[in-house]
């Protein structure tokens, strides 16, 4: 079995204070994909807690206290790509990839458009550029596991209050169609391959009692190339402890390594 966890920490130091690394120590994960570290590695490097597995990598945003992604790996990768090679993405620390001989694991933090039109336009510009890039890699026969906060709920099943969010970023028709097209092509939603239940969420607003009432969104994913679909064994969302406004999503695979 090969266990991969993805988690938007909403500040890796904040998640640490709330017990994330204590929980992680008991998971025996092969790979952990983190988004929104909100830290520079210089702020973390003297504390071994932030280097929990054998091989640990960070890709920071240029702006302090913003964005940032990480990968914690049990097995040594052949290479690690700090960024996708697009300046507008890499300066915000949104992409980190570990390349193995049999597969690649990507930690991705996709934009949120909730703060206004400018960020939504940046999000959709990235989506337009990223989809053909992904499809080209799938068509080349690569085995990709793209983990992260995609900031899109795909279907009505993936958020509690879907009727009230039809015109809001994260559930706009063009965003949902982007995922539909991706999943109709060379990729699959790994979670939905093994779990079709309703009310399975990975993020809750910090306003009101959204988490207590499970008024959430499923916006964190394992998006996998179709050639890995048969290897998905199980999926779970850990909600017992609130390490951030997101919950860790764990998916186990058969015979990845």
């Amino acid at each position: 079995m090969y266990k991969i966890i993805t988690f938007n920490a909403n500040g890796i130091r904040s998640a640490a204070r709330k017990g994330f690394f204590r929980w992680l120590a008991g998971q025996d994960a092969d790979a952990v994909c983190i988004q929104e570290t909100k830290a520079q590695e210089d702020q973390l490097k003297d504390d071994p807690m932030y280097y929990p597995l054998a091989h640990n990598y960070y890709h920071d945003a240029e702006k302090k206290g913003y964005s940032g992604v990480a990968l914690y790996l049990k097995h040594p990768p052949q290479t690690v790509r700090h960024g996708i090679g697009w300046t507008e993405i890499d300066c915000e620390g949104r992409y980190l990839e570990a390349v193995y001989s049999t597969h690649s694991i990507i930690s991705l933090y996709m934009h949120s458009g909730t703060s206004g039109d400018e960020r939504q336009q940046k999000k959709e510009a990235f989506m337009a550029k990223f989809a053909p890039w992904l499809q080209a890699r799938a068509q080349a026969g690569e085995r990709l596991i793209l983990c992260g906060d995609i900031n899109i709920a795909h279907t009505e099943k993936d958020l509690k209050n879907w009727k009230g969010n039809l015109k809001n970023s994260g559930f706009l028709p063009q965003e949902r169609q982007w995922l539909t097209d991706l999943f109709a092509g060379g990729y699959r939603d790994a979670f939905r391959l093994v779990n079709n239940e309703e009310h399975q969420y990975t993020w809750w607003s910090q306003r009101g009692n959204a988490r207590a009432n499970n008024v959430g969104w499923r916006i964190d994913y394992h998006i996998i190339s179709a050639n890995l679909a048969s290897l998905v064994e199980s999926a779970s969302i850990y909600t017992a402890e609130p390490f951030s406004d997101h919950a860790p999503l764990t998916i186990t695979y058969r015979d990845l390594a």
Side-chain angles (χ1 to χ4, degrees):
M1 304 298 286
Y2 198 103
K3 179 188 284 191
I4 302 177
I5 298 170
T6 189
F7 173 56
N8 180 313
N10 193 14
I12 194 67
R13 291 168 293 180
S14 172
R17 290 191 296 271
K18 295 172 183 175
F20 172 68
F21 287 101
R22 174 195 47 75
W23 171 81
L24 185 62
Q27 298 308 301
D28 192 27
D30 293 279
V32 183
C33 302
I34 303 290
Q35 302 85 44
E36 265 203 294
T37 58
K38 291 186 175 180
Q40 306 297 117
E41 191 169 5
D42 284 348
Q43 298 170 304
L44 309 175
K45 65 181 182 180
D46 294 330
D47 190 338
M49 175 175 61
Y50 296 109
Y51 298 81
L53 299 186
H55 309 274
N56 305 274
Y57 305 91
Y58 287 89
H59 182 44
D60 305 333
E62 293 176 3
K63 178 181 176 182
K64 290 186 177 181
Y66 179 72
S67 192
V69 289
L71 282 169
Y72 308 144
L73 308 168
K74 180 187 290 187
H75 314 286
Q78 289 184 327
T79 188
V80 174
R81 296 170 178 160
H82 290 75
I84 196 171
W86 305 341
T87 301
E88 69 276 16
I89 300 304
D90 297 344
C91 71
E92 295 189 353
R94 293 187 177 276
Y95 182 99
L96 186 61
E97 177 178 355
V99 180
Y100 293 90
S101 61
T102 56
H103 63 282
S104 292
I105 302 171
I106 298 164
S107 182
L108 176 74
Y109 178 41
M110 214 157 99
H111 311 67
S112 170
T114 56
S115 62
D117 290 344
E118 181 182 351
R119 295 306 298 176
Q120 182 65 27
Q121 289 168 9
K122 285 184 179 292
K123 179 181 185 179
E124 294 190 24
F126 172 70
M127 290 161 56
K129 192 173 181 179
F130 195 43
W133 184 92
L134 281 175
Q135 296 294 8
R137 292 191 68 173
Q139 289 165 9
E142 293 191 54
R143 304 207 307 173
L144 295 186
I145 300 173
L146 171 67
C147 294
D149 178 2
I150 306 303
N151 271 310
I152 303 170
H154 184 209
T155 72
E156 296 170 3
K157 188 187 294 186
D158 295 316
L159 73 168
K160 180 73 171 181
N161 182 22
W162 65 267
K163 289 182 180 178
N165 283 286
L166 289 168
K167 295 182 179 180
N168 291 335
S169 178
F171 201 59
L172 295 172
Q174 64 269 29
E175 295 175 321
R176 299 168 62 199
Q177 189 62 48
W178 186 83
L179 280 178
T180 296
D181 293 343
L182 201 61
F183 297 147
Y187 290 86
R188 301 293 181 267
D189 179 352
F191 182 84
R192 286 302 185 204
L193 293 177
V194 292
N195 187 325
N196 276 306
E197 296 177 16
E198 296 183 341
H199 313 305
Q200 303 294 300
Y201 308 130
T202 62
W203 175 82
W204 301 262
S205 170
Q206 297 186 75
R207 295 191 296 270
N209 293 309
R211 189 161 189 152
N213 295 322
N214 200 27
V215 180
W217 298 52
R218 188 176 71 94
I219 58 175
D220 301 88
Y221 292 80
H222 284 218
I223 296 173
I224 63 172
S225 51
N227 52 14
L228 292 174
S230 64
L231 301 185
V232 178
E233 178 73 18
S234 64
S236 62
I237 301 168
Y238 182 72
T239 59
E241 298 173 86
F243 304 131
S244 86
D245 52 348
H246 292 250
L249 166 63
T250 301
I251 294 187
T252 57
Y253 300 84
R254 293 186 292 273
D255 307 321
L256 250 188

